[in-house]
Every structure is written in structure tokens, then in C-alpha cells.
Amino acid sequence: MSTDIDSYYLEKDEPNKSCLLTLRDIIIRQDVNITETRTYGMPCFCYKKKRLCYLWTDKKTDTPYLLMVEGKHLKHPELEEGSRTRMKIFRVNPNKDLPINLIITILNEALDLYRLGIINTEKK
């Protein structure tokens, strides 16, 4: 893990820091092919080098969320599309217990898009 990625988390105040670190751990544990990098200033998680999701905090509310890159393929009512055409977000309240089972379900549904070839992971 690089210092640049670590600094993103370490610069956050509590409770966001703990929340984001926990989300990071949940994401990485879902598949051995998940790697973490920093893209656009935020942690980006890739599956076989294809973007899977990002972690970020809302600029207005300063609350964390999980940004699912292929959100348009995911059909969970908890995911917000907003004005996005491709991505959806899952907001997290850092002051409450994380809905871990729901987060794992959403992540694995997204990973299945890659595993089943719906989203191509091969280099062109």
C-alpha cells in the first residue's frame, strides 16, 4: 500500500476516518483480484485493473459514500443515481453501525458483472 493512498485516510477526521478504513477493508476482502490505487484524489478499487468502485466524502455533508462504477447495472434501492448515467452511490452514516451484509451484497453483485464477463476485464 502506498503512502499516497494511506494519506487520504489518515488526513480524515473521526468518525469518517474509521468508517472509510472499514469500508476499505470490506472492499479488499471481497476478492484477491481487487487492488487499490488513488485516482482523481480518491481511493479507487479495481478488479483485474478495471475500476470497480471509489471511496469519497460528500462535499456538502462531509459524509462518506461508496461510488460504484458500473452502478447502472445494479438494482438496489439504497443506491442513488442522481444525475449520473453510469455510476451510483451508496451513502454511509459514519455515526452508525455499517450495514456490512448489504455492502458485501452490493460489492459482490458488482464483482459478478466482471466475473461473468458482463463488464470486460481483458485489455483491448
Side-chain angles (χ1 to χ4, degrees):
M1 174 174 34
S2 84
T3 310
D4 184 46
I5 295 172
D6 286 339
S7 68
Y8 172 82
Y9 299 100
L10 298 176
E11 292 169 357
K12 297 294 182 189
D13 293 329
E14 292 295 351
N16 285 354
K17 181 191 298 186
S18 296
C19 180
L20 289 164
L21 285 167
T22 301
L23 287 168
R24 172 198 217 183
D25 186 58
I26 292 168
I27 294 165
I28 290 172
R29 289 177 182 261
Q30 297 315 301
D31 194 289
V32 297
N33 293 301
I34 294 177
T35 56
E36 182 182 20
T37 186
R38 193 164 173 175
T39 306
Y40 308 117
M42 63 181 104
C44 176
F45 299 87
C46 300
Y47 177 79
K48 294 185 178 180
K49 299 188 180 182
K50 287 287 195 175
R51 294 177 300 142
L52 172 68
C53 62
Y54 293 91
L55 287 178
W56 197 241
T57 53
D58 186 285
K59 287 180 176 31
K60 293 179 183 175
T61 63
D62 194 41
T63 56
Y65 63 84
L66 181 62
L67 177 69
M68 304 305 299
V69 172
E70 297 297 338
K72 70 180 179 184
H73 297 285
L74 305 174
K75 306 297 181 209
H76 287 276
E78 297 84 357
L79 291 173
E80 298 175 28
E81 185 175 336
S83 61
R84 301 169 196 87
T85 57
R86 180 179 178 194
M87 301 181 185
K88 290 184 181 176
I89 66 169
F90 179 75
R91 293 184 189 275
V92 178
N93 184 336
N95 296 305
K96 293 186 176 181
D97 289 343
L98 291 175
I100 294 173
N101 290 334
L102 177 58
I103 293 167
I104 290 171
T105 298
I106 291 169
L107 287 168
N108 277 289
E109 187 175 315
L111 281 164
D112 283 345
L113 297 171
Y114 299 87
R115 293 173 182 146
L116 299 172
I118 295 167
I119 305 301
N120 188 0
T121 58
E122 298 298 318
K123 290 217 174 217
K124 293 181 181 178

